[in-house]
Amino acid sequence: MAPICALIGICMAGYLGSWVLKQDPGPEKMNNISLKIQQGAKAFLMSEYKLLVIFMVIVAVVMAVALSPITAVAFVTGGILSALAGYIGMHVATRANTRTAYAAEESVAKALNISFKSGLTMGLSVASFALLGLSLWLLLLVFGVDTFDLMHEHVGMVEGFATGASAVALFARVGGGIYTKAADVGADLVGKVEAGIPEDDPRNPATIADNVGDNVGDVAGMGADLFESYTGSILAPTILAVTFGALGYFGAVGTVDATWAVVVPLMIAACGIITSIIGLFAVRTKEGSELHKALNRGTYVAAGIEIIAIFVIFFIWNGQSANQPIWLFGSVLCGLVAGLLIGKTTEYFCSDHYKPVHQIAEASETGPATNIIQGLSTGMLSTIIPILLVAFAIIGAYACGNMAFANIVTPEGGIAVGLFGVALAATGMLSNTAITVGVDAYGPVADNAGGIAEMAGLPEEVRERTDSLDAVGNTTAAIAKGFAIASAGLSAISLFVSYQATMHHSIPNFELTLTDPLIIAGIFIGAMIPFMFAALTMGAVSRAAHAMVEEVRRQFREIKGIMEFKAEPEYDKCVAISTNSALREMMLPGILAIVIPVVIGCFNPAMLGGFLAGAVATGMLLAIFMSNAGGAWDNAKKYIEGGAHGGKGSEAHKAAVVGDTVGDPFKDTSGPSMNILINLMTIVSLTFTPLFIAIQTML
Amino acid sequence: MAPICALIGICMAGYLGSWVLKQDPGPEKMNNISLKIQQGAKAFLMSEYKLLVIFMVIVAVVMAVALSPITAVAFVTGGILSALAGYIGMHVATRANTRTAYAAEESVAKALNISFKSGLTMGLSVASFALLGLSLWLLLLVFGVDTFDLMHEHVGMVEGFATGASAVALFARVGGGIYTKAADVGADLVGKVEAGIPEDDPRNPATIADNVGDNVGDVAGMGADLFESYTGSILAPTILAVTFGALGYFGAVGTVDATWAVVVPLMIAACGIITSIIGLFAVRTKEGSELHKALNRGTYVAAGIEIIAIFVIFFIWNGQSANQPIWLFGSVLCGLVAGLLIGKTTEYFCSDHYKPVHQIAEASETGPATNIIQGLSTGMLSTIIPILLVAFAIIGAYACGNMAFANIVTPEGGIAVGLFGVALAATGMLSNTAITVGVDAYGPVADNAGGIAEMAGLPEEVRERTDSLDAVGNTTAAIAKGFAIASAGLSAISLFVSYQATMHHSIPNFELTLTDPLIIAGIFIGAMIPFMFAALTMGAVSRAAHAMVEEVRRQFREIKGIMEFKAEPEYDKCVAISTNSALREMMLPGILAIVIPVVIGCFNPAMLGGFLAGAVATGMLLAIFMSNAGGAWDNAKKYIEGGAHGGKGSEAHKAAVVGDTVGDPFKDTSGPSMNILINLMTIVSLTFTPLFIAIQTML
């Protein structure tokens, strides 16, 4: 069923994509700007993929030698499918921008239609490719195998697929994030602040790079990001089910519960693709109706049907089982409620309707220093509720999972099936990825359309319309962000538990005790990694932005007539700076994320257990802290621009611009990479367990 | 022996203090300024102690009911002795300032002599009071008891002493930190930036508050801080020894190793006081000789003798034992080397002689935003090496501890004695607290002396001399900071392990397994607490500074003639703002740090175990990150003021001032409170174990 749903999703994506490309791209002037963006984005992606190919070949060879050739092949397919989904999404997005801008001349509804369908092309590609690859590998290697022991061995190879997806995601997010923020910060610091020209002004040499950045960072990067977390969320419960089966907790292969436990994650995901397509039809807007509501309707319709579908799945299972698997629906609900509430907290801390952003705006009155202090403080404060919610979701999903199989399992088995509930909670949260990505990815298209409108000198009202489109996505995007954070945490924990269970399966006395000094040292080192990662990526943005600032200043100085629109700036030089910086700077953090866990695991697998626990905890904290602080600074600036505390041009506004600039790498480079980082490190550890076990048994 | 050494220390402190007070306070004008600072500081401390009395009475009553009356009494004595040491130190420091300034008119050597002896008065008071209280309680309750079980029960009461010390320390650090930074930021933002008058100018209404802040934050706060970590580092190995004895790892009471293990921490501490006094005599400076070297000589002489003394102690033990306790000297060395190297990294990241600070200064050229990004990135990067060093120190000290008792213990006992080595490493690091505090606490005295020189209009060269004194302490202080961070981590781990061992002693199946969902949830919540704490304290500084800015602006506006030196500003109103804000804002974070662990422990003691592990890890990370980022920003500003990147008044300088202001609460409020926070939370958990055990056995 899963591959068929995936194929339906791919067909739908193809249909939507070709529909978008058939729309009128507008007059030549607009199309030319779009062409420059297309070229820049394509050139970057191609260079990025070239580097990734080298990297993937090296890792694949290591995997083939240290683990197994099949794992290596799975790794490569995971990487390729992720890159392909990102490429398709970006291909359509960079063409949808001018079409959206042109349509906005006519009506908002038409512009929304194009940009949203472009986003959904990407969303469906991401979900369908991931599900297709994963389900085919599972069909090939895991389903139909006779014993859990063999299943367990084979699922270890499928983990290669998830590792490939996560590795590509990390590079895409970090590279794209550095690209987009170097261009953005560079364009703002010289263009807006020093030269005093508006955003997206064609006189700014960095403006094309800035618009390219929106696509490679927010479209391709985000797509790869969700490809990996979606893959992880489906694979995590499957791995747990198989491993717990091998440990004897679930009964023999072929018993009702064992069969269901293995296939249920794929079923939930398959339903999610169909419900996302249904949700698409609910997004219709007439001129004058609220855009906001149209988008929400789509998301809510899809979510509503999906919840019913999940309930039905567990209900059927319940009918066939001697246990009460219907309780697992409770696990899924725990995850959904936590994700929803985290989204609401995100909105509270980042929206300019509430106190936190107002306080940052107020603190801007006494200058940039107090703005920064208040923003950092707000970001840190915003971690409290999400972390508590994740903790409650873990406990709740665990308790429900425990209830589901209360009457057959052994004591250790009780803990195991409880954790299976935790893993399923993440699957449920991400099952609607297709439409969620759609809502998320339409934002940058609208943003780009606004940029083209500005550069092509379209009437003011067009820009207003694209801006309204851009703004509207934010609420829905905030909720999607909540789900992303919560599910990353739950998936990482499930994978972490799978790691322990896998090691335990081969080395029975393998245990993770919190008072073991090696594990304590591991926790310390693991907790430090996200800080190191944030430092490297922020430093990268800082260096790249510095180079960009110098280049823009040079062009303003040396190219006569830019300011009078008489000479065209050398856009391509700025594009080249962003491209080269991003490619150079993304390598180190990405490689470290893969190498460090493997090195520690070879040294001592128990220490790696502590390492992962520490990394997941601080990774989540920094993800929430940095994303929310960045969002709050952004909106504090917009709030002041809306007229508060003196409005545009006031001292408070200048201070708020400083906060916004600091927030850029926070919310678009370092923050969003954290979830991928922790998932990548856990899945890498899990994939390399055969190597660690071999080393331990050799000693 | 320990109480006698402590009494010697107290006599010496009394002698030094009265010597300082006998020095000439200078002409009336200077003395009057000093008097205002004395009054402000005393008034603040008195109000703070009043609040603390209420708080301590409530906690003591709870303890008396929930634990035992003796624990409550120990708690109160710990609090009182800590407060007393802080009070004495501040009493002398606020009188030494004018004496130092007056002596600086004559020579640097004389000024150094006064300020250093004032610092040492405090240092000796801190160490001697702590050792006196602790050793008397141990003599009274623990030593001479027949069985380890009874010892274990009694040492639980002595933990009350450490809890009291930690609680007072947290309030003193947080309250003092908020006070000093509110005054500092307020004075800078309006005085330096808006009105353009120099630092410590008598026309600035916040200048007295600023100078009072140096005393209540950097003198009294720091004293209480070291009182608690010193107490913790001595008590942690004792608790471990007694608990492991009760678990049967060390043999019966009276056997050689059991006796030595219990008393050796006190012996190391007692030697430390004597060696500190010897070190004092090594600090002599003649005019023209390098100040730097004189101070370092004192520290190094004390450290050298102390290392020899520790070696001798273990050597004697080794001669009497059937084991090789001499290996424990290796544990101590691991701690010392780690502390030393952490200090060197701190210096590398914060000193303006090295690349990190230069990069921040360079990033200032493109404005405050890039300065902030670079500073945050530097701070995060600076966590890598210290965390690795702490991890290596843990593993090394553990391995040595393990070797020490390799031939008698059971497998679990092997882990236990290894951890005893980890605890002793922290004891060794802090054994020279008396002279370390002396070197640290003389800085604010010199700083204050400079302020008085400026306000009293003394000749330029006096200010230069006090500035040179102030600057010189920094290197030695950086190394002291390294020891503080490393020892806090090691002590917290030892206390954490004691917690597990204590629970395990009463509930044999109590285990902390990293895959238990409750423990994972605990790690998440624990890891979040330091973020929450940082957010609350930074927010407090932001709010208090805001009130201060408004008040200073009001005075400049409403009091005619301030700028022409014709009218005196209302200093006391600014003092009142700092006092009230600090007292109001310190309560919530302090109370949370005590209440949260107790609540979680009552709910589930295993979850509390995870909570503590998470809190210790992120607490250390934030401590290093915030302190180093703050220090680096500070020195980047000073580096620019020294003439780089355009020097004073340039755009780069303005950007660097923003970074420095953001760094103020980082390095002086939130960062230094982290170590106390994690120690307080672990010691509170440990002290309340009888309650948790009672609840668990009731269920």
Short mmCIF file of all heavy atoms in Angstrom, two decimals, chain A residues 374 377 380-381 384 387 398 500 512-515 517 524 527 531-532 534-535 542 618 620-621 661 666, chain B residues 369 374 376-377 380-381 384 387 398 500 512-515 517 524 527 531-532 534-535 542 618 620-621:
data_model
loop_
_atom_site.label_atom_id
_atom_site.label_comp_id
_atom_site.label_asym_id
_atom_site.label_seq_id
_atom_site.Cartn_x
_atom_site.Cartn_y
_atom_site.Cartn_z
N GLN A 374 17.45 41.58 25.98
CA GLN A 374 16.05 41.18 26.11
C GLN A 374 15.72 40.04 25.14
O GLN A 374 15.00 39.11 25.50
CB GLN A 374 15.16 42.41 25.84
CG GLN A 374 13.70 42.20 26.18
CD GLN A 374 13.48 42.01 27.68
OE1 GLN A 374 14.15 42.64 28.49
NE2 GLN A 374 12.57 41.14 28.04
N SER A 377 17.24 36.80 26.38
CA SER A 377 16.49 36.38 27.55
C SER A 377 15.14 35.78 27.12
O SER A 377 14.73 34.73 27.62
CB SER A 377 16.33 37.58 28.47
OG SER A 377 15.30 37.39 29.39
N MET A 380 15.67 32.31 25.61
CA MET A 380 15.94 31.29 26.61
C MET A 380 14.68 30.94 27.40
O MET A 380 14.42 29.78 27.69
CB MET A 380 17.03 31.77 27.56
CG MET A 380 18.40 31.80 26.90
SD MET A 380 19.67 32.29 28.07
CE MET A 380 21.16 31.90 27.15
N LEU A 381 13.92 31.96 27.71
CA LEU A 381 12.67 31.75 28.45
C LEU A 381 11.70 30.89 27.64
O LEU A 381 10.95 30.09 28.21
CB LEU A 381 12.03 33.12 28.73
CG LEU A 381 11.28 33.31 30.03
CD1 LEU A 381 12.15 32.99 31.22
CD2 LEU A 381 10.77 34.74 30.13
N ILE A 384 11.22 26.93 28.07
CA ILE A 384 10.64 26.24 29.23
C ILE A 384 9.45 25.36 28.84
O ILE A 384 9.45 24.15 29.05
CB ILE A 384 10.20 27.26 30.31
CG1 ILE A 384 11.41 28.10 30.76
CG2 ILE A 384 9.60 26.54 31.50
CD1 ILE A 384 11.04 29.20 31.72
N ILE A 387 9.98 22.39 26.28
CA ILE A 387 10.70 21.26 26.86
C ILE A 387 9.81 20.49 27.83
O ILE A 387 9.79 19.26 27.82
CB ILE A 387 11.97 21.77 27.59
CG1 ILE A 387 13.02 22.24 26.57
CG2 ILE A 387 12.55 20.70 28.49
CD1 ILE A 387 13.65 21.13 25.75
N TYR A 398 4.56 7.12 26.43
CA TYR A 398 5.13 5.91 27.01
C TYR A 398 4.08 5.15 27.83
O TYR A 398 3.91 3.93 27.69
CB TYR A 398 6.32 6.29 27.90
CG TYR A 398 6.85 5.15 28.71
CD1 TYR A 398 7.67 4.20 28.14
CD2 TYR A 398 6.54 5.04 30.06
CE1 TYR A 398 8.16 3.14 28.89
CE2 TYR A 398 7.03 4.00 30.82
CZ TYR A 398 7.84 3.05 30.23
OH TYR A 398 8.32 2.02 30.97
N GLN A 500 20.48 1.59 22.08
CA GLN A 500 20.75 0.81 23.29
C GLN A 500 20.26 -0.62 23.10
O GLN A 500 20.96 -1.58 23.42
CB GLN A 500 20.06 1.49 24.49
CG GLN A 500 20.46 0.94 25.84
CD GLN A 500 19.57 -0.23 26.26
OE1 GLN A 500 18.48 -0.39 25.73
NE2 GLN A 500 20.06 -1.04 27.19
N LEU A 512 23.35 1.28 30.09
CA LEU A 512 23.70 2.70 30.19
C LEU A 512 23.31 3.20 31.57
O LEU A 512 22.15 3.55 31.82
CB LEU A 512 22.97 3.49 29.10
CG LEU A 512 23.31 3.11 27.66
CD1 LEU A 512 22.44 3.89 26.68
CD2 LEU A 512 24.78 3.37 27.37
N THR A 513 24.27 3.21 32.48
CA THR A 513 23.99 3.68 33.83
C THR A 513 24.55 5.09 34.00
O THR A 513 25.70 5.36 33.65
CB THR A 513 24.64 2.75 34.87
OG1 THR A 513 24.36 1.41 34.49
CG2 THR A 513 24.08 3.02 36.24
N LEU A 514 23.69 5.93 34.55
CA LEU A 514 24.00 7.35 34.58
C LEU A 514 25.18 7.69 35.48
O LEU A 514 25.73 8.79 35.39
CB LEU A 514 22.75 8.09 35.06
CG LEU A 514 22.49 9.49 34.56
CD1 LEU A 514 22.68 9.58 33.07
CD2 LEU A 514 21.07 9.90 34.91
N THR A 515 25.58 6.76 36.38
CA THR A 515 26.69 7.08 37.27
C THR A 515 28.02 6.54 36.77
O THR A 515 29.04 6.71 37.42
CB THR A 515 26.42 6.53 38.68
OG1 THR A 515 25.90 5.21 38.53
CG2 THR A 515 25.41 7.39 39.41
N PRO A 517 31.30 6.81 34.98
CA PRO A 517 32.07 8.02 34.63
C PRO A 517 32.21 8.23 33.13
O PRO A 517 32.18 9.36 32.65
CB PRO A 517 33.44 7.78 35.26
CG PRO A 517 33.23 6.74 36.28
CD PRO A 517 32.06 5.93 35.87
N PHE A 524 28.65 15.07 28.92
CA PHE A 524 29.27 16.40 28.85
C PHE A 524 29.68 16.73 27.42
O PHE A 524 29.38 17.81 26.90
CB PHE A 524 30.51 16.44 29.74
CG PHE A 524 30.20 16.76 31.18
CD1 PHE A 524 29.02 16.35 31.75
CD2 PHE A 524 31.09 17.48 31.96
CE1 PHE A 524 28.73 16.63 33.07
CE2 PHE A 524 30.81 17.78 33.28
CZ PHE A 524 29.62 17.35 33.83
N ALA A 527 26.69 17.14 25.12
CA ALA A 527 25.97 18.39 25.35
C ALA A 527 26.72 19.56 24.75
O ALA A 527 26.13 20.58 24.37
CB ALA A 527 25.78 18.60 26.85
N PHE A 531 26.61 23.30 20.91
CA PHE A 531 27.22 24.63 21.08
C PHE A 531 28.32 24.84 20.04
O PHE A 531 28.42 25.90 19.42
CB PHE A 531 27.81 24.77 22.49
CG PHE A 531 26.80 25.13 23.55
CD1 PHE A 531 25.98 24.16 24.09
CD2 PHE A 531 26.66 26.42 23.99
CE1 PHE A 531 25.04 24.47 25.05
CE2 PHE A 531 25.73 26.76 24.95
CZ PHE A 531 24.91 25.77 25.49
N MET A 532 29.15 23.80 19.87
CA MET A 532 30.21 23.89 18.88
C MET A 532 29.63 24.11 17.50
O MET A 532 30.09 24.96 16.74
CB MET A 532 31.02 22.58 18.90
CG MET A 532 32.17 22.56 17.93
SD MET A 532 32.96 20.93 17.88
CE MET A 532 31.92 20.08 16.71
N ALA A 534 26.70 25.37 16.68
CA ALA A 534 26.14 26.72 16.56
C ALA A 534 27.26 27.73 16.36
O ALA A 534 27.15 28.66 15.54
CB ALA A 534 25.32 27.06 17.80
N ALA A 535 28.36 27.55 17.09
CA ALA A 535 29.48 28.48 16.97
C ALA A 535 30.05 28.45 15.55
O ALA A 535 30.31 29.49 14.94
CB ALA A 535 30.57 28.12 17.98
N SER A 542 29.06 34.92 9.84
CA SER A 542 29.75 36.17 10.13
C SER A 542 30.86 36.42 9.11
O SER A 542 30.98 37.53 8.56
CB SER A 542 30.31 36.09 11.56
OG SER A 542 31.15 37.16 11.83
N THR A 618 20.71 19.23 24.68
CA THR A 618 21.09 20.62 24.38
C THR A 618 20.76 20.99 22.94
O THR A 618 20.51 22.15 22.65
CB THR A 618 22.58 20.90 24.63
OG1 THR A 618 23.36 19.92 23.99
CG2 THR A 618 22.89 20.95 26.09
N MET A 620 18.05 20.19 21.29
CA MET A 620 16.68 20.69 21.29
C MET A 620 16.59 22.07 21.92
O MET A 620 15.88 22.96 21.44
CB MET A 620 15.78 19.74 22.07
CG MET A 620 15.46 18.49 21.31
SD MET A 620 14.06 17.65 22.08
CE MET A 620 12.79 18.88 21.83
N LEU A 621 17.31 22.25 23.03
CA LEU A 621 17.26 23.54 23.72
C LEU A 621 17.76 24.66 22.82
O LEU A 621 17.13 25.71 22.69
CB LEU A 621 18.11 23.49 24.99
CG LEU A 621 17.40 22.86 26.18
CD1 LEU A 621 18.39 22.41 27.22
CD2 LEU A 621 16.41 23.86 26.76
N THR A 661 19.32 41.47 12.74
CA THR A 661 20.49 40.92 12.02
C THR A 661 21.15 39.80 12.81
O THR A 661 21.56 38.80 12.25
CB THR A 661 21.50 42.05 11.75
OG1 THR A 661 20.80 43.16 11.20
CG2 THR A 661 22.56 41.61 10.78
N PHE A 666 20.62 33.01 13.72
CA PHE A 666 19.95 32.23 14.77
C PHE A 666 18.81 31.41 14.19
O PHE A 666 18.74 30.21 14.37
CB PHE A 666 19.36 33.18 15.84
CG PHE A 666 20.24 33.42 17.02
CD1 PHE A 666 21.52 33.90 16.86
CD2 PHE A 666 19.77 33.20 18.30
CE1 PHE A 666 22.32 34.13 17.96
CE2 PHE A 666 20.56 33.43 19.41
CZ PHE A 666 21.83 33.89 19.24
N ALA B 369 25.84 44.42 15.12
CA ALA B 369 25.25 43.09 14.87
C ALA B 369 26.35 42.05 14.66
O ALA B 369 26.32 40.98 15.26
CB ALA B 369 24.33 43.13 13.66
N GLN B 374 29.73 37.52 16.34
CA GLN B 374 31.07 36.99 16.52
C GLN B 374 31.33 36.66 17.99
O GLN B 374 31.94 35.64 18.31
CB GLN B 374 32.09 38.01 16.00
CG GLN B 374 33.51 37.50 15.90
CD GLN B 374 33.65 36.38 14.86
OE1 GLN B 374 33.02 36.44 13.81
NE2 GLN B 374 34.44 35.38 15.17
N LEU B 376 29.07 35.89 20.37
CA LEU B 376 28.32 34.70 20.77
C LEU B 376 29.01 33.45 20.23
O LEU B 376 29.15 32.44 20.92
CB LEU B 376 26.89 34.76 20.22
CG LEU B 376 25.97 35.82 20.85
CD1 LEU B 376 24.66 35.92 20.07
CD2 LEU B 376 25.67 35.48 22.30
N SER B 377 29.44 33.54 18.97
CA SER B 377 30.11 32.40 18.35
C SER B 377 31.41 32.07 19.11
O SER B 377 31.68 30.90 19.40
CB SER B 377 30.37 32.75 16.89
OG SER B 377 31.31 31.91 16.32
N MET B 380 30.60 30.35 22.43
CA MET B 380 30.18 28.97 22.26
C MET B 380 31.37 28.09 21.91
O MET B 380 31.50 26.97 22.40
CB MET B 380 29.12 28.86 21.18
CG MET B 380 27.78 29.41 21.63
SD MET B 380 26.53 29.21 20.35
CE MET B 380 25.05 29.62 21.27
N LEU B 381 32.22 28.61 21.05
CA LEU B 381 33.42 27.86 20.64
C LEU B 381 34.33 27.59 21.84
O LEU B 381 34.99 26.55 21.91
CB LEU B 381 34.17 28.70 19.60
CG LEU B 381 34.90 27.95 18.49
CD1 LEU B 381 33.95 27.06 17.73
CD2 LEU B 381 35.54 28.95 17.53
N ILE B 384 34.38 24.20 23.98
CA ILE B 384 34.86 22.89 23.51
C ILE B 384 35.97 22.33 24.40
O ILE B 384 35.84 21.26 25.00
CB ILE B 384 35.36 22.97 22.06
CG1 ILE B 384 34.24 23.47 21.15
CG2 ILE B 384 35.86 21.61 21.58
CD1 ILE B 384 34.67 23.68 19.71
N ILE B 387 35.25 21.65 28.23
CA ILE B 387 34.39 20.48 28.45
C ILE B 387 35.18 19.19 28.21
O ILE B 387 35.07 18.22 28.97
CB ILE B 387 33.15 20.56 27.52
CG1 ILE B 387 32.20 21.65 28.00
CG2 ILE B 387 32.43 19.21 27.45
CD1 ILE B 387 31.50 21.36 29.30
N TYR B 398 39.12 9.14 37.75
CA TYR B 398 38.41 7.88 38.03
C TYR B 398 39.36 6.69 37.90
O TYR B 398 39.40 5.81 38.77
CB TYR B 398 37.24 7.75 37.06
CG TYR B 398 36.58 6.41 37.10
CD1 TYR B 398 35.68 6.10 38.10
CD2 TYR B 398 36.84 5.46 36.13
CE1 TYR B 398 35.07 4.87 38.15
CE2 TYR B 398 36.23 4.21 36.16
CZ TYR B 398 35.34 3.93 37.18
OH TYR B 398 34.74 2.71 37.21
N GLN B 500 22.89 9.12 44.02
CA GLN B 500 22.51 7.79 43.55
C GLN B 500 22.86 6.72 44.60
O GLN B 500 22.05 5.85 44.90
CB GLN B 500 23.23 7.50 42.22
CG GLN B 500 22.73 6.26 41.48
CD GLN B 500 23.46 5.00 41.91
OE1 GLN B 500 24.55 5.09 42.48
NE2 GLN B 500 22.85 3.85 41.67
N LEU B 512 19.74 4.18 37.83
CA LEU B 512 19.53 5.26 36.87
C LEU B 512 19.93 4.76 35.49
O LEU B 512 21.10 4.76 35.13
CB LEU B 512 20.38 6.48 37.25
CG LEU B 512 20.06 7.12 38.61
CD1 LEU B 512 21.02 8.25 38.90
CD2 LEU B 512 18.63 7.63 38.63
N THR B 513 18.93 4.28 34.73
CA THR B 513 19.21 3.77 33.39
C THR B 513 18.80 4.83 32.37
O THR B 513 17.71 5.39 32.43
CB THR B 513 18.43 2.48 33.13
OG1 THR B 513 18.57 1.64 34.27
CG2 THR B 513 18.96 1.77 31.91
N LEU B 514 19.70 5.06 31.44
CA LEU B 514 19.54 6.18 30.52
C LEU B 514 18.37 6.00 29.57
O LEU B 514 17.93 6.97 28.95
CB LEU B 514 20.85 6.33 29.73
CG LEU B 514 21.26 7.72 29.28
CD1 LEU B 514 21.16 8.70 30.41
CD2 LEU B 514 22.68 7.67 28.77
N THR B 515 17.85 4.78 29.44
CA THR B 515 16.74 4.59 28.49
C THR B 515 15.38 4.61 29.18
O THR B 515 14.36 4.44 28.53
CB THR B 515 16.90 3.25 27.76
OG1 THR B 515 17.31 2.26 28.71
CG2 THR B 515 17.96 3.35 26.69
N PRO B 517 12.20 6.24 30.29
CA PRO B 517 11.57 7.47 29.80
C PRO B 517 11.50 8.58 30.84
O PRO B 517 11.66 9.76 30.52
CB PRO B 517 10.16 7.03 29.41
CG PRO B 517 10.25 5.57 29.24
CD PRO B 517 11.34 5.07 30.13
N PHE B 524 15.89 16.18 30.03
CA PHE B 524 15.39 17.32 29.25
C PHE B 524 15.06 18.50 30.16
O PHE B 524 15.49 19.63 29.92
CB PHE B 524 14.13 16.92 28.47
CG PHE B 524 14.42 16.24 27.17
CD1 PHE B 524 15.54 15.45 27.01
CD2 PHE B 524 13.57 16.40 26.09
CE1 PHE B 524 15.82 14.83 25.81
CE2 PHE B 524 13.84 15.78 24.88
CZ PHE B 524 14.96 14.99 24.75
N ALA B 527 18.16 19.94 31.82
CA ALA B 527 18.99 20.70 30.89
C ALA B 527 18.38 22.07 30.61
O ALA B 527 19.09 23.04 30.30
CB ALA B 527 19.14 19.93 29.58
N PHE B 531 19.00 27.36 31.30
CA PHE B 531 18.51 28.35 30.33
C PHE B 531 17.47 29.26 30.98
O PHE B 531 17.48 30.47 30.82
CB PHE B 531 17.89 27.64 29.11
CG PHE B 531 18.89 27.16 28.11
CD1 PHE B 531 19.60 26.00 28.31
CD2 PHE B 531 19.14 27.89 26.96
CE1 PHE B 531 20.53 25.56 27.38
CE2 PHE B 531 20.07 27.46 26.03
CZ PHE B 531 20.77 26.29 26.24
N MET B 532 16.56 28.63 31.72
CA MET B 532 15.53 29.42 32.41
C MET B 532 16.19 30.38 33.39
O MET B 532 15.82 31.57 33.46
CB MET B 532 14.60 28.47 33.17
CG MET B 532 13.50 29.17 33.92
SD MET B 532 12.54 28.01 34.92
CE MET B 532 13.53 27.96 36.41
N ALA B 534 19.25 31.58 33.34
CA ALA B 534 19.93 32.66 32.62
C ALA B 534 18.93 33.68 32.12
O ALA B 534 19.16 34.90 32.20
CB ALA B 534 20.73 32.08 31.46
N ALA B 535 17.79 33.20 31.62
CA ALA B 535 16.78 34.11 31.10
C ALA B 535 16.26 35.01 32.21
O ALA B 535 16.13 36.23 32.04
CB ALA B 535 15.63 33.32 30.48
N SER B 542 18.09 43.52 32.72
CA SER B 542 17.51 44.38 31.69
C SER B 542 16.46 45.33 32.29
O SER B 542 16.47 46.54 32.05
CB SER B 542 16.90 43.49 30.61
OG SER B 542 16.14 44.23 29.73
N THR B 618 24.33 21.25 31.07
CA THR B 618 24.09 22.55 30.44
C THR B 618 24.50 23.71 31.35
O THR B 618 24.90 24.75 30.86
CB THR B 618 22.62 22.77 30.01
OG1 THR B 618 21.78 22.47 31.10
CG2 THR B 618 22.27 21.91 28.83
N MET B 620 27.18 23.83 33.22
CA MET B 620 28.60 24.09 32.97
C MET B 620 28.81 24.77 31.62
O MET B 620 29.61 25.69 31.47
CB MET B 620 29.37 22.78 32.98
CG MET B 620 29.59 22.25 34.37
SD MET B 620 30.86 20.99 34.33
CE MET B 620 32.25 21.96 33.79
N LEU B 621 28.07 24.28 30.61
CA LEU B 621 28.21 24.86 29.27
C LEU B 621 27.86 26.34 29.27
O LEU B 621 28.59 27.18 28.74
CB LEU B 621 27.32 24.12 28.28
CG LEU B 621 27.92 22.82 27.77
CD1 LEU B 621 26.85 21.92 27.19
CD2 LEU B 621 28.97 23.15 26.71
#
